[in-house]
Amino acid sequence: MKKMVSVVMTAILFAIPVTPAFALTNNDTVKEKAQELASKIVSDYGASGLQYAIMDHGSIVLSDSAGVYDKATKSPITKETMFGIGSVSKTYVSAATMMLADFNQIDIDQPLTTYIKDFKMADERYKEITPRMLMNHSSGIYGSHYGNSFLFDDNDTKNHDELLVKLQSDNLKSNPGEFSVYCNDGFQLLEILVERVSGLSYSEFLETHISKPLQLTSTQTPRDSFDRDRLTKTYFPGIDQALPTENANLIGTGGIYSTAEEVSKFAEVLIGNRTDILSEKSAMAMQSHEYRKGVWVSEETNTINYGLGWDAVRLAPFSDYGITALFKGGDTYMYHAALTTLPEHDISIAVLSSGGSGIYNSIFASNILLEYISAKGIIKEILPKKTFEPPLKVEMPSDLLAYSGLYGTVGKTVNLEIKNGEIDLPDLGFGSIPPQKYVYTGNGQFKNNDGNATISFDHQKNGTTYLKLNAYTDTPGLGQTVAVTYEYQKLDSNPLSQSTKTIWEHRNEKNYYSLDEKITSMLYLSKSLLAKNISVDINHGYASGTKIVDENKAVNVIEIPTLNGRDAFDLNFYNENHKEYLKIDGQSYISEDAIQPIYEGNDSFCIIPSGGQAVWYKIDDQSANRVMNVETPVSGGFAVYDADGIVVNFSKATSTHSVVLPEGGMIVFGGNEGNIFKINLMNK
């Protein structure tokens, strides 16, 4: 699930209630600007359809859309068209948790084990985790158990039902409450908490305590019965037709469907205007500056500063105007969302899309809200975006050379060398800042050639040294964003014995392929989503950012606040029948070395083995460029990828069972235990 941000308003409340008539006579420029940016996201940034709505003092004052509901028919998006809202769903489960506190059924600062008796982890510190820590991302839980959660036309509760069992073998990456870093599993646990305490399923709780009082008819979950044709169509590169319905079955984390108007209406609950649903006290508690309770960057101008359920409670650029803004964003594989609200002005905007990105939606939301409050006279003018000059290099103090060395983040390690006041860095900011050279400019800071990205080193109170990035990035045609994050932490070298080195060297750059993912999973749209590539830093004793412990195990040591420490993992290798396997987060993967070519004869069978694990094949020279026809059981399916890992056909998405096999590609079959696939290969 992707980033989210929220902010609390400190400006004076506008005294005159706003009516729809006020909006119509004063906001033509707002409407035009919104259409301009919405059309840009559709034309240039991959969205097929986008929907947005502004609510002001309880009235919808702007509701519009861009793009299409269906590419084939070119039918338009309407205000009734539904979208997945991704991680904006976290504000709903957080509000539900706070409702339980209002009912005096829970105390958010009591251990979670008080309410979920069977919550256990391998790390004894789990007993200190509280519901508050789940909502502010400070529980110390590794991150996300995504397995079998994003499914096509399949609302299987397997992910929900198995989470507590999988957590039993997990460790923590930090002391509970030590720092906040994005954690999806925390909101899965909140979903379970709501169910255990209320006695209702989570979907029933939402319907009873949120949707009915607010008269939300379009706010649904994958477990609900509703007209799926109301969901806007979704698309994937290389597949010409619309995809089946995406069900994000981790509902508390990111599984709700809704409309922009209804999301903006729900915001009234979050800012304390519907005390019949959530008390003002609880709404204000959700807006508290939780991020400051632990290790955090010193800068206040940021788009990441966690509250309870919110990703930001002091969102830039509104903080530059003295206005508190709250923000939550979200991304599933197909849907993207942003909710920004100005509590003290009682104004909210929701932006939902099929395709595109939650980041684009959040930039849209900020820009249009600024236009709107400017038109209302809440701010005098919109400040110009920040501009930057190329850096002026100065002489660097020699003591900064001590920051050279090994650094790590989730998934990788890098060896950073500071030399002659310069440092070469890989891409930063989740790829928004490309690899480049940074030069020393004084005050412990290094800047890139454009001057918009600054790095420095922080030695924090937990004893860890972090590489910090402060960057302004421009998205052409949309706007500018700022983020201050810790990107890497300094690591100690981990010497290995020669025998351990030999075994791990053999795994370097090897791929391991998922066996446990249901064939209805959306992950089959891309081989990279199913493969784990192991990158071994043999000289320092690390593998894909984890610290090697012995010949078959490596453990997470990354403790990075904000975002880059999210979704940590351990690596556990094992052997069965002379084949090597890898286990991560309770999911098994098979080594590429153990995968055989598909039988090159005309007719063959593939049988799903006991346990229901997927079966992988390589496409060798004997089978490449031949036509494969598959007689597929109803519960089964298959996917074919080219040499670059691009999907050529995924039968559950296309309903096509014939495909030309690409050179150097791979095939995977999945289904229920005992499913038989009849395979025919013929020349073109």
Side-chain angles (χ1 to χ4, degrees):
M1 302 286 107
K2 241 180 152 189
K3 304 176 163 187
M4 308 146 188
V5 189
S6 72
V7 186
V8 189
M9 311 290 272
T10 56
I12 299 173
L13 184 63
F14 192 67
I16 303 173
V18 176
T19 66
F22 177 95
L24 288 173
T25 57
N26 291 275
N27 288 313
D28 287 345
T29 57
V30 178
K31 185 174 183 178
E32 290 172 7
K33 181 69 172 179
Q35 263 302 300
E36 176 188 336
L37 291 187
S39 298
K40 188 74 172 175
I41 292 173
V42 170
S43 63
D44 294 0
Y45 290 101
S48 59
L50 185 140
Q51 181 192 71
Y52 51 94
I54 296 178
M55 178 167 279
D56 189 338
H57 287 77
S59 296
I60 297 293
V61 295
L62 177 64
S63 181
D64 211 337
S65 62
V68 295
Y69 159 85
D70 184 341
K71 289 183 179 181
T73 64
K74 294 183 170 50
S75 51
I77 303 288
T78 71
K79 66 180 182 179
E80 286 82 23
T81 303
M82 294 167 60
F83 295 73
I85 66 170
S87 287
V88 175
S89 303
K90 290 180 171 67
T91 60
Y92 291 70
V93 77
S94 298
T97 302
M98 300 305 291
M99 289 178 206
L100 297 180
D102 285 343
F103 301 153
N104 294 317
Q105 292 181 298
I106 68 166
D107 181 335
I108 65 170
D109 292 311
Q110 286 296 307
L112 186 62
T113 53
T114 307
Y115 312 107
I116 307 177
K117 304 292 186 184
D118 49 341
F119 170 56
K120 294 180 174 63
M121 298 184 70
D123 190 318
E124 284 295 307
R125 294 175 293 176
Y126 81 92
K127 297 173 183 177
E128 303 169 27
I129 296 172
T130 66
R132 179 187 297 275
M133 294 173 188
L134 301 179
M135 288 187 282
N136 68 20
H137 300 275
S138 71
S139 67
I141 293 172
Y142 270 24
S144 305
H145 284 81
Y146 278 144
N148 294 302
S149 55
F150 293 94
L151 307 177
F152 279 135
D153 284 337
D154 184 350
N155 60 6
D156 190 350
T157 61
K158 181 180 178 69
N159 183 282
H160 169 281
D161 300 341
E162 294 180 350
L163 179 63
L164 291 175
V165 173
K166 288 185 175 179
L167 286 172
Q168 288 178 8
S169 59
D170 283 3
N171 291 302
L172 295 175
K173 59 187 171 191
S174 62
N175 294 321
E178 184 177 341
F179 60 80
S180 294
V181 59
Y182 205 74
C183 178
N184 283 311
D185 281 348
F187 296 83
Q188 288 278 83
L189 287 169
L190 289 173
E191 178 184 335
I192 295 171
L193 167 68
V194 170
E195 293 179 329
R196 295 291 178 88
V197 173
S198 71
L200 300 172
S201 74
Y202 180 58
S203 295
E204 290 170 337
F205 187 96
L206 290 176
E207 173 66 19
T208 302
H209 294 286
I210 294 177
S211 292
K212 281 186 177 178
L214 286 173
Q215 298 182 328
L216 305 180
T217 59
S218 300
T219 299
Q220 307 286 344
T221 79
R223 303 298 297 166
D224 292 328
S225 296
F226 67 96
D227 182 5
R228 260 59 176 179
D229 284 338
R230 289 190 58 197
L231 288 165
T232 188
K233 303 298 184 184
T234 61
Y235 300 89
F236 191 80
I239 296 179
D240 294 333
Q241 65 206 66
L243 299 173
T245 298
E246 176 193 77
N247 289 329
N249 294 307
L250 15 67
I251 302 173
T253 292
I256 292 176
Y257 308 109
S258 193
T259 65
E261 288 194 8
E262 289 201 357
V263 172
S264 64
K265 192 172 185 179
F266 174 67
E268 292 287 286
V269 174
L270 299 174
I271 60 179
N273 288 348
R274 289 297 301 263
T275 54
D276 57 320
I277 298 174
L278 181 69
S279 71
E280 185 177 1
K281 177 183 175 182
S282 287
M284 291 304 296
M286 290 179 68
Q287 300 171 28
S288 61
H289 291 207
E290 295 286 317
Y291 62 101
R292 283 292 177 204
K293 293 182 175 180
V295 175
W296 198 258
V297 297
S298 58
E299 288 79 0
E300 286 293 343
T301 300
N302 209 343
T303 50
I304 311 156
N305 31 56
Y306 299 117
L308 298 179
W310 293 106
D311 276 356
V313 290
R314 194 180 185 277
L315 177 65
F318 297 94
S319 53
D320 294 340
Y321 300 84
I323 294 177
T324 295
L326 311 171
F327 171 81
K328 190 70 186 80
D331 298 87
T332 64
Y333 288 105
M334 298 300 149
Y335 292 118
H336 310 279
L339 170 64
T340 304
T341 185
L342 313 180
E344 292 181 5
H345 294 285
D346 196 1
I347 302 170
S348 301
I349 184 171
V351 187
L352 312 180
S353 68
S354 168
S357 165
I359 294 174
Y360 305 145
N361 293 0
S362 68
I363 298 172
F364 176 101
S366 290
N367 283 339
I368 299 311
L369 267 190
L370 287 174
E371 291 282 348
Y372 185 70
I373 63 177
S374 176
K376 288 190 65 171
I378 293 174
I379 59 175
K380 291 182 179 180
E381 61 180 355
I382 298 175
L383 299 174
K385 72 176 186 179
K386 305 286 185 184
T387 58
F388 302 91
E389 298 292 334
L392 179 63
K393 183 179 177 182
V394 301
E395 186 174 351
M396 185 188 77
S398 60
D399 59 351
L400 291 180
L401 293 172
Y403 287 115
S404 293
L406 180 68
Y407 285 77
T409 189
V410 173
K412 67 178 179 181
T413 54
V414 294
N415 196 44
L416 303 184
E417 182 182 9
I418 303 173
K419 188 175 181 181
N420 299 323
E422 299 179 353
I423 181 171
D424 286 310
L425 291 173
D427 65 275
L428 302 174
F430 292 98
S432 63
I433 309 293
Q436 58 194 289
K437 187 185 298 294
Y438 294 71
V439 300
Y440 187 70
T441 58
N443 299 317
Q445 297 180 337
F446 299 75
K447 293 183 182 292
N448 67 343
N449 188 56
D450 293 331
N452 66 312
T454 301
I455 65 152
S456 57
F457 297 90
D458 271 5
H459 186 71
Q460 273 283 4
K461 57 187 177 183
N462 62 353
T464 301
T465 297
Y466 297 104
L467 185 147
K468 181 170 69 177
L469 171 69
N470 186 335
Y472 286 81
T473 56
D474 288 316
T475 304
L478 295 184
Q480 187 178 73
T481 55
V482 58
V484 187
T485 60
Y486 288 133
E487 296 282 310
Y488 287 89
Q489 73 180 63
K490 205 168 191 301
L491 299 174
D492 294 325
S493 190
N494 176 39
L496 303 176
S497 68
Q498 187 55 52
S499 60
T500 301
K501 280 185 178 181
T502 300
I503 289 175
W504 282 92
E505 282 175 334
H506 180 71
R507 295 176 179 137
N508 189 34
E509 298 305 323
K510 290 285 176 65
N511 286 316
Y512 293 74
Y513 293 96
S514 176
L515 296 174
D516 298 328
E517 198 71 12
K518 291 187 69 174
I519 196 60
T520 52
S521 172
M522 300 176 67
L523 272 62
Y524 287 97
L525 288 172
S526 174
K527 192 181 76 171
S528 64
L529 299 174
L530 297 162
K532 301 296 183 184
N533 181 265
I534 305 302
S535 177
V536 182
D537 181 351
I538 205 69
N539 293 325
H540 295 104
Y542 290 82
S544 297
T546 59
K547 185 177 183 178
I548 297 172
V549 174
D550 57 34
E551 293 179 350
N552 291 311
K553 185 177 181 65
V555 299
N556 173 69
V557 290
I558 301 302
E559 300 181 3
I560 303 178
T562 61
L563 285 172
N564 287 282
R566 65 176 291 181
D567 297 341
F569 54 86
D570 298 335
L571 300 175
N572 294 280
F573 292 88
Y574 62 98
N575 282 274
E576 286 183 1
N577 300 321
H578 307 292
K579 297 178 181 179
E580 185 171 69
Y581 297 85
L582 167 65
K583 183 158 284 192
I584 301 177
D585 295 335
Q587 299 277 101
S588 291
Y589 300 77
I590 188 170
S591 170
E592 62 180 48
D593 293 342
I595 297 174
Q596 300 300 310
I598 193 166
Y599 175 64
E600 69 270 16
N602 291 342
D603 297 298
S604 62
F605 296 90
C606 173
I607 303 175
I608 301 300
S610 173
Q613 291 188 322
V615 179
W616 288 83
Y617 293 102
K618 296 174 182 175
I619 300 171
D620 62 10
D621 292 342
Q622 283 69 43
S623 54
N625 298 310
R626 299 176 72 188
V627 178
M628 182 177 76
N629 296 293
V630 183
E631 189 176 316
T632 307
V634 173
S635 57
F638 68 94
V640 177
Y641 307 97
D642 67 17
D644 296 320
I646 305 300
V647 68
V648 175
N649 182 53
F650 174 29
S651 66
K652 285 294 184 182
T654 65
S655 299
T656 299
H657 300 271
S658 179
V659 59
V660 177
L661 298 182
E663 295 180 15
M666 296 189 73
I667 309 168
V668 59
F669 294 90
N672 295 335
E673 176 181 326
N675 277 169
I676 299 174
F677 297 82
K678 297 179 180 179
I679 303 166
N680 172 260
L681 290 184
M682 56 186 292
N683 295 328
K684 288 193 289 185

